[in-house]
Amino acid sequence: YTASFNASGDSYDTHKNKGMDCPHPGYQFLKKKWMESLSMIDTDPNHNHSFSFHPFTMVRDPYDRLVSFFYYMQSIYPHWTSTAALDAMVVEDDFIGWLQKMIEQKFETKIVTLPFMYKAVDANIDTAVKLISGNDPEIFILTSDCVEVSLRLLADKKAQFFDAERVDRFLQSSSSNANKREDKPAKKFNHTLAKSIHKEYFHDDWKLYNASLFQMKNVLIGSNLNASDADYKECMRKIDDKLAYMKG
């Protein structure tokens, strides 16, 4: 059975609907649609049926996420726009101005998925952290800091859905970008200033990110993945470095 989780209900032409957000439903919406979909399934009354919801998601460094989104907006403008004031900053290639204008506008962007990452999990940050934490979290959390290890962890912990050998073949194939990321030159703005502004006004996103890395580290330690593997060690180093940064 395939459930439809399209948040908009209808497809639309972004060229005709500038400023609209493409469907990126949050967790609570997905969960609601999942529950509703169960009533639509025809089952044989002579047999027992059970259905399970296995949500997982991958978080990203909150600052990197917003920088990336800024340049994505720049690359597709004017086919997908925000407010006039924010659009002006995008056109002028002024990330810090864009960030400050967003704060000035009380984060009104006309884009559902911006600016807070944690709201994709839950509108309440404490609930969001609770959903991804603990020995049996409702949402299995991963991080884009370690794409390859995250995929292997899915195969280890969700073996009923992800086959380890197929994941391995995918990561070694030309279809995967996991091992092809190149370091790009830093954009020409003051990252230290921009990040300090971001940490002050997006503290809830940093709280979710911190909890996510802490959770993934614990899951990784308790997994069957080879701790002596180079990718495993590099992932742990990245997680520890990020946790130390946020603690500092």
Side-chain angles (χ1 to χ4, degrees):
Y1 175 74
T2 303
S4 174
F5 289 150
N6 191 323
S8 68
D10 297 292
S11 60
Y12 58 85
D13 188 339
T14 55
H15 292 262
K16 296 178 180 179
N17 298 279
K18 295 179 181 180
M20 293 180 67
D21 190 30
C22 59
H24 289 289
Y27 173 65
Q28 296 302 334
F29 178 88
L30 288 173
K31 186 176 180 180
K32 177 175 178 290
K33 296 296 289 185
W34 160 257
M35 297 301 294
E36 291 174 352
S37 71
L38 294 180
S39 63
M40 300 166 58
I41 302 175
D42 291 326
T43 58
D44 186 342
N46 297 316
H47 296 85
N48 292 324
H49 298 273
S50 63
F51 303 93
S52 301
F53 190 37
H54 295 266
F56 65 90
T57 192
M58 188 176 288
V59 296
R60 186 176 184 181
D61 178 299
Y63 174 72
D64 290 347
R65 170 182 176 268
L66 212 59
V67 172
S68 176
F69 194 93
F70 175 81
Y71 287 105
Y72 173 68
M73 287 288 292
Q74 195 175 75
S75 71
I76 63 173
Y77 181 86
H79 299 311
W80 192 18
T81 66
S82 183
T83 67
L86 290 175
D87 288 346
M89 299 295 103
V90 169
V91 172
E92 293 172 15
D93 196 25
D94 184 358
F95 175 77
I96 292 180
W98 182 74
L99 184 60
Q100 292 173 325
K101 182 61 67 174
M102 195 185 302
I103 295 167
E104 180 184 313
Q105 293 182 176
K106 300 186 185 301
F107 304 107
E108 175 51 54
T109 66
K110 294 185 179 179
I111 300 175
V112 175
T113 51
L114 271 180
F116 299 107
M117 176 172 64
Y118 79 90
K119 289 188 177 182
V121 180
D122 194 271
N124 180 279
I125 180 57
D126 293 327
T127 302
V129 169
K130 184 178 180 180
L131 287 170
I132 59 99
S133 302
N135 295 327
D136 187 25
E138 189 166 328
I139 302 173
F140 189 67
I141 203 77
L142 303 160
T143 175
S144 65
D145 295 292
C146 313
V147 175
E148 181 171 324
V149 172
S150 289
L151 293 178
R152 295 189 189 282
L153 196 56
L154 270 177
D156 181 59
K157 295 298 184 180
K158 302 286 184 180
Q160 67 271 50
F161 307 115
F162 299 92
D163 179 75
E165 291 185 2
R166 294 183 67 182
V167 167
D168 191 57
R169 288 199 300 271
F170 169 74
L171 289 172
Q172 295 178 25
S173 73
S174 59
S175 300
S176 171
N177 291 321
N179 300 312
K180 299 177 182 179
R181 299 180 183 276
E182 297 179 358
D183 292 331
K184 296 181 180 180
K187 296 296 181 178
K188 295 179 180 179
F189 62 85
N190 188 331
H191 281 274
T192 301
L193 173 60
K195 202 162 190 175
S196 66
I197 295 171
H198 188 280
K199 286 190 73 176
E200 179 180 356
Y201 288 95
F202 293 79
H203 47 81
D204 284 343
D205 265 3
W206 287 99
K207 183 175 181 179
L208 178 71
Y209 184 55
N210 182 79
S212 299
L213 294 187
F214 184 79
Q215 176 71 13
M216 181 168 167
K217 179 178 179 178
N218 286 337
V219 173
L220 197 53
I221 291 172
S223 73
N224 294 310
L225 272 60
N226 187 354
S228 62
D229 185 82
D231 290 323
Y232 182 104
K233 290 181 178 179
E234 177 64 10
C235 180
M236 278 295 193
R237 184 195 65 78
K238 288 181 178 179
I239 290 175
D240 285 338
D241 286 350
K242 289 292 182 72
L243 288 172
Y245 168 77
M246 286 182 280
K247 186 177 180 180

